[in-house]
């Protein structure tokens, strides 16, 4: 019987990554709050993705509204209707698509910018670090919401403007966090050995620094999505979101409820669903992020 051929270094590396992922999942599964948050997110994302299958998008058009203004919840409209007679449940489901899309993309943009700046500042040091950190400090002292409002006002309104405004105003904390982690990693002996063996800047960053920083980046991204959803809701509530009524978000629903005097009219079903949805999603992302942080940080896990 012939002996099996020795596994290649790449196969061994992927096997180690698989073992590490399995161990991390076992640690995550012990965090009940993290599992609960993950379950909530899966349900909400599934409803958002399946919204075109479960509902008819044409119901968002005011012309096709079949209900009366501000009807209370009933069998036909489980969450009632808005001032134009549209189903609040339909608006909430389609608003989830917009809010989650903006949250994910804006968070990825923010974390991407922060990761690049943080790694470059820590790796090259000297004047590169000084220049990048002064830019970071400049953005840190500016109120991010005020800067996002200014950008949304200057640029053409739309989903792209909202994503850009949130992404380029919320990256400084990530940059400082990644820079500190990169400095810790580059002080380790294997980085010195890699440089001594002829490894260039690109090799050190992509093969050693970035893989070691990615867990922290992943946790930070999870927490940043919730913040991005809140920022999008704030901009939309202030009238700086997507003006297209066929692309509602939870923030634009809150603005419409306020403009339609839902509180004065006693139409609680118009105001509560988007507010509760925002709170649930942010809470779920926070629980997942904290659970991941405890998995990837041995000191928190021991505590």
């Amino acid at each position: 019987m012939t002996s099996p051929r020795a596994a290649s270094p790449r196969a061994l590396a992927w096997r180690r990554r698989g073992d590490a992922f399995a161990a991390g999942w076992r640690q995550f599964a012990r965090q009940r709050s993290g599992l609960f948050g993950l379950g909530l997110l899966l349900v909400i994302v599934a409803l958002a993705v399946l919204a075109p299958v479960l509902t008819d998008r044409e119901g968002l058009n005011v012309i096709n509204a079949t209900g009366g203004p501000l009807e209370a919840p009933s069998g036909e409209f489980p969450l009632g209707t808005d001032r134009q007679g549209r189903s609040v449940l339909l608006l909430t489901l389609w608003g989830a698509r917009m809010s989650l899309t903006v949250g994910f993309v804006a968070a990825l943009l923010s974390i991407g910018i922060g990761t690049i700046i943080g790694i470059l500042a820590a790796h090259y040091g000297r004047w590169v670090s000084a220049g990048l950190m002064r830019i970071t400090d400049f953005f840190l002292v500016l109120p991010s919401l005020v800067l996002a409002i200014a950008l949304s006002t200057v640029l053409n309104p739309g989903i792209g403007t909202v994503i850009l405004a949130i992404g380029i105003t919320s990256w400084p904390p990530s940059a400082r966090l990644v820079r500190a982690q990169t400095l810790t990693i580059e002080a380790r002996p294997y980085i010195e050995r890699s440089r001594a063996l002829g490894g260039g800047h690109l090799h050190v960053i992509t093969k050693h620094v970035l893989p070691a920083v990615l867990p922290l980046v992943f946790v930070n991204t999870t927490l940043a999505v919730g913040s991005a959803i809140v920022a999008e809701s704030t901009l939309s509530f202030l009238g700086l979101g997507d003006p297209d009524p066929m692309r509602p978000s939870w923030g634009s629903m809150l603005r419409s409820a306020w403009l339609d005097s839902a509180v004065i009219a006693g139409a609680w079903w118009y105001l509560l669903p988007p507010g509760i949805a925002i709170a649930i999603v942010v809470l779920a992302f926070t629980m997942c992020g904290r659970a991941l942080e405890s998995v990837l940080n041995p000191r928190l896990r021991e505590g």
Side-chain angles (χ1 to χ4, degrees):
M1 184 176 179
T2 59
S3 60
R5 186 174 59 181
S8 64
R10 180 169 295 182
L12 290 174
W14 280 106
R15 186 181 303 172
R16 294 193 191 99
R17 291 170 186 168
D19 295 339
F21 178 81
W25 170 252
R26 287 193 295 269
Q27 291 287 342
F28 184 85
R30 297 193 184 104
Q31 307 284 334
R32 293 183 179 180
S33 61
L35 286 178
F36 181 72
L38 180 61
L40 282 178
L41 287 179
L42 291 177
V43 171
I44 294 171
V45 171
L47 289 175
V49 172
L50 296 176
V53 179
L54 300 175
T55 62
D56 185 8
R57 187 171 185 268
E58 292 301 319
L60 298 174
N61 196 328
V62 179
I63 301 176
N64 300 324
T66 58
L70 297 180
E71 285 188 12
S74 60
E76 184 180 2
F77 301 105
L79 294 181
T81 63
D82 65 354
R83 180 70 71 177
Q84 287 75 34
R86 297 178 297 175
S87 171
V88 175
L89 177 60
L90 180 66
L91 291 169
T92 304
L93 288 176
W94 283 89
R97 294 173 64 89
M98 179 64 68
S99 294
L100 289 175
T101 299
V102 173
F104 278 115
V105 179
L108 289 176
L109 176 61
S110 171
I111 298 299
I113 296 174
T115 300
I116 293 173
I117 291 180
I119 290 178
L120 293 180
H123 179 77
Y124 288 100
R126 297 183 179 178
W127 63 270
V128 176
S129 177
L132 292 177
M133 286 299 98
R134 296 297 76 76
I135 296 174
T136 303
D137 293 339
F138 172 77
F139 277 92
L140 275 175
V141 299
L142 292 177
S144 58
L145 180 59
V146 175
L147 184 58
I149 291 173
L151 289 175
S152 299
T153 304
V154 173
L155 302 177
N156 293 327
I159 183 174
T161 298
V162 174
I163 292 173
L164 185 64
I166 297 173
I168 66 176
T169 57
S170 57
W171 59 266
S174 301
R176 297 185 69 88
L177 191 63
V178 171
R179 177 179 177 271
Q181 183 71 6
T182 303
L183 288 174
T184 302
I185 293 168
E186 294 211 350
R188 295 174 181 173
Y190 68 87
I191 299 294
E192 293 295 332
R193 287 196 295 268
S194 177
R195 289 171 174 166
L197 293 173
H201 296 295
L202 185 61
H203 175 82
V204 172
I205 291 175
T206 57
K207 297 298 183 181
H208 299 294
V209 175
L210 189 59
V213 171
L214 278 180
L216 177 65
V217 172
F218 184 63
V219 172
N220 206 21
T221 303
T222 306
L223 297 172
V225 174
S227 301
I229 291 176
V230 173
E232 184 277 331
S233 301
T234 303
L235 293 177
S236 296
F237 182 78
L238 295 175
L240 301 174
D242 196 329
D244 190 351
M246 297 295 289
R247 292 200 294 263
S249 69
W250 291 332
S252 63
M253 289 179 64
L254 290 174
R255 174 175 174 81
S256 298
W258 175 65
L259 293 176
D260 294 337
S261 303
V263 176
I264 298 176
W268 55 266
W269 58 87
Y270 191 10
L271 184 66
L272 287 182
I276 293 175
I278 294 171
I280 290 176
V281 170
V282 173
L283 179 63
F285 274 111
T286 302
M287 288 190 294
C288 285
R290 296 306 179 192
L292 284 173
E293 192 175 14
S294 65
V295 169
L296 299 174
N297 191 334
R299 290 175 295 182
L300 293 178
R301 187 165 64 245
E302 291 171 2

